[in-house]
Amino acid sequence: MVTKLILRDCAIAIVCLAAPLLNINIIWAQSQSDTQISSYIEQLKNPQQRPAAIGDLVTIGKPAIPALITALQDSDPQVRASAAMILGQMGPNAGEAAPAILRAIDDKDPAVRSSAVQAIQKIGKQAYVPHLIAGLDSTKSWERYNASHGLRAMGKDAAPAVPALIRKLQDEEDHWMRVSAASTLGSIGTASTPAVPILVTRLQDTDITVRHSAAYALGTISSKWQQDLKRLPTKELDTIVSNLEKALKVVQNPALQFRPEAVTSVSEPLAALKKERLSREKR
């Protein structure tokens, strides 16, 4: 028993002594890695060393991303272009660099701009969605609008933004944000179905542009369902038809001054979805 206690105490003492050494080794290794990454970044300035440095930084991967984000602001355009290229080659793993790469699109150097565009394509659209969603809450109006426009350009890939866009659709202080949010929800397509009831209420917005944007968004979402009726559950079909029937009554109100195209954008998909519902009832 005494021997076991002595062995246990010795083991604990060894662990206690080894722990600081282990931490020192981890810190040293991290320091060495950071130094190595800095060295490779510096080599990007040298045409002869650049290809190898690019390959080494791609191999290092995620640990090199913070340094590469910094390198996107280097005074040397070759370093900036190379940093964007490397991040692009990392693909979706470089998602955290998305905001910095987006800024690089406006770089004064054409090679940097080109590398940034290619990087965005390789990293993938969905990596940018969280950053654009955050941009919807910016205190600067132009940043909010840019974020919404960016999401609209992504189409169905921006589906995770639907809850945030629904909130912006109810922004009573900024009618242009309501316009943009409605348009973006329409471009996302069927994933925006939860927004349909709010879009119906916006058909009576005090601003005529918001009213029309809501009508067109309803039409686009419903038309997308027309193209994918097999995937539309009957219960959800009934709900959409009910909402579109309400919408049609509103857009047909002369006092709200809806254009004929806006009325058609609601009436045509409604007719098609009602036909589908009738077909299902007969089965």
Side-chain angles (χ1 to χ4, degrees):
M1 182 67 179
V2 174
T3 303
K4 288 183 178 179
L5 289 172
I6 292 171
L7 289 172
R8 185 200 65 187
D9 292 343
C10 287
I12 292 171
I14 289 169
V15 170
C16 290
L17 288 170
L21 293 174
L22 184 61
N23 287 335
I24 289 169
N25 284 336
I26 291 171
I27 293 169
W28 180 85
Q30 183 62 50
S31 175
Q32 288 294 101
S33 176
D34 290 344
T35 301
Q36 193 176 44
I37 290 169
S38 297
S39 175
Y40 291 144
I41 296 289
E42 189 64 26
Q43 289 173 27
L44 294 175
K45 298 179 180 180
N46 187 316
Q48 284 74 41
Q49 296 178 317
R50 190 177 301 133
I54 289 173
D56 289 332
L57 287 164
V58 171
T59 300
I60 290 172
K62 289 185 77 69
I65 290 176
L68 288 165
I69 291 174
T70 301
L72 284 171
Q73 302 177 50
D74 195 275
S75 60
D76 187 336
Q78 287 293 343
V79 173
R80 301 198 301 275
S82 297
M85 182 191 306
I86 294 163
L87 289 165
Q89 288 185 34
M90 291 182 186
N93 289 330
E96 66 188 87
I101 296 173
L102 282 172
R103 289 192 294 271
I105 292 176
D106 295 323
D107 195 280
K108 59 185 179 183
D109 187 271
V112 179
R113 295 197 297 271
S114 176
S115 294
V117 169
Q118 292 178 51
I120 288 173
Q121 294 171 345
K122 291 178 180 177
I123 290 172
K125 293 179 181 178
Q126 292 183 345
Y128 298 85
V129 173
H131 305 289
L132 292 171
I133 291 173
L136 292 173
D137 290 321
S138 172
T139 56
K140 298 175 182 177
S141 59
W142 66 269
E143 289 185 349
R144 296 196 298 273
Y145 304 149
N146 281 349
S148 184
H149 295 161
L151 291 166
R152 184 169 69 229
M154 292 184 179
K156 63 181 181 181
D157 290 325
V162 168
L165 289 164
I166 289 174
R167 290 197 301 273
K168 291 302 170 183
L169 191 58
Q170 301 172 80
D171 185 343
E172 299 296 343
E173 296 181 1
D174 188 345
H175 79 280
W176 283 117
M177 191 71 250
R178 300 198 298 276
V179 169
S180 187
S183 179
T184 302
L185 285 163
S187 73
I188 290 172
T190 57
S192 292
T193 301
V196 166
I198 308 299
L199 287 166
V200 173
T201 64
R202 280 301 163 197
L203 292 173
Q204 300 185 65
D205 196 279
T206 55
D207 185 90
I208 191 170
T209 310
V210 176
R211 296 200 295 270
H212 278 84
S213 294
Y216 292 132
L218 284 167
T220 304
I221 294 167
S222 304
S223 296
K224 292 292 183 183
W225 274 123
Q226 279 182 253
Q227 300 166 21
D228 199 9
L229 286 173
K230 291 182 180 178
R231 201 170 57 85
L232 180 59
T234 299
K235 185 177 180 180
E236 198 160 3
L237 171 62
D238 290 340
T239 301
I240 294 172
V241 167
S242 176
N243 277 294
L244 288 179
E245 287 175 336
K246 294 176 186 175
L248 186 58
K249 289 180 181 178
V250 176
V251 297
Q252 288 176 332
N253 182 349
L256 293 173
Q257 300 178 323
F258 278 97
R259 291 189 289 272
E261 297 86 354
V263 177
T264 301
S265 73
V266 174
S267 63
E268 287 189 350
L270 172 59
L273 292 176
K274 287 177 75 172
K275 183 178 179 181
E276 171 65 17
R277 185 174 65 177
L278 183 61
S279 173
R280 292 186 185 187
E281 289 172 354
K282 291 179 178 178
R283 290 173 192 168

